[in-house]
Amino acid sequence: MKSGVTKEQLHSLIDEAYAKYKSYNGGKNADYIPYLAKVDSELFGIAACLPDGQIIQVGDCGERFGIESISKVMTAILILKLYGAETILDMIGADATGMPFNSIMAILLEKNHPSTPLVNAGAIAAVSLVQPVGNKELKWKAIVDNMRELCDAPLPLIDELYKSESASNYNNRSIAWLLKHYNRIYDDPELSLDLYTRQCSMGVTARELAICGATIANDGINPVSKKRVFSKALAPKITAMLASVGFYEHTGDWMFTSGLPAKSGVGGGIMGVLPGGFGIATFSPPLDASGNSVKGQKALRYIMQRLDAGIYNSN
Ligand code: GLN
């Protein structure tokens, strides 16, 4: 591996981190989406995918949970493929907002200034850009097909989560219409909101997220299917987005302590990308106040600090 990390080294660190944090109690399941509050808080898994497609997994890596905000990374990849990096920088942007993922304030402050596809406003705008604009069914197919190629697995919709989230997403509805007010949404706001809610309600496993992370780490070639999913030139753009806003207002602290570009979701997942190295994912539902999995952060930090191979290291 380019990072100099061996499979054995990574495997034993994953085992150690799992054993060390398995019984850790901290954080709380998301409850603003009723479905998520009911998920078993004890579930815990860590998976990694190496550039040759080998998978390391410990714990509940086959458990399906709500992908939530990690889907933002996948749809960001889709629109980068459709429009190219320059156009996406112009139409949405790549700046961290420094605010919570669902911040309305961030939109008000940046009304003439782009944000990022990795927070709710930019993600709803990203969904609006998926082609063919105006055709809900074909847009949804494009989103789902892209997820399947990235994860090398067909992700199912968790219908109960979709219903639960659709019945409680008033804040996101405000975001969609505020974007319309500022001409920063490029399809019908209700259509875009619904597809965004649906993509967040897809069920994924830690194993599948590790494969998606490894596809980004491997410059766009899925190491399991061996298929090219996106061009090599897009990989550093996606990693830059992860490193600047993947953990929202706590991304700086996260990068400072882990060196691992990663994206969290309120379903309890985290997907990490070590370019040229591996994809790594954790699943544990209890979250901190910013919506990032507490156990997942502890485990990944433990692994990355011992590997000493974060993206800011020179080795
Ligand atoms: N669907 C969730 C929302 O829009 C995703 C948030 C998250 O995972 N941070 O609120």
Side-chain angles (χ1 to χ4, degrees), residues 2 10 34-35 40 49 121 177 202:
K2 190 172 123 196
L10 185 58
Y35 172 94
D40 181 356
C49 177
W177 283 102
M202 294 300 257

Side-chain angles (χ1 to χ4, degrees), residues 32-33 36 66-72 101-102 118 120 124 161 165 169 171-172 175 196-197 199-201 248 263-268 287 290-292:
Y32 75 101
I33 299 169
L36 297 176
I67 189 168
E68 297 297 347
S69 280
I70 306 171
S71 65
K72 291 171 173 150
F101 59 82
N102 54 2
L118 300 194
N120 291 17
I124 295 170
L161 174 56
E165 194 155 338
N169 63 352
N171 189 87
N172 287 340
I175 289 176
Y196 165 79
T197 309
Q199 76 171 23
C200 288
S201 307
Y248 312 113
K263 182 76 206 79
S264 62
V266 290
L287 310 176
S290 310
N292 305 317

Side-chain angles (χ1 to χ4, degrees), residues 164-185:
S164 180
E165 194 155 338
S166 299
S168 54
N169 63 352
Y170 305 113
N171 189 87
N172 287 340
R173 175 160 284 118
S174 314
I175 289 176
W177 283 102
L178 197 55
L179 289 173
K180 176 78 178 166
H181 176 70
Y182 290 125
N183 279 324
R184 282 182 47 204
I185 192 160

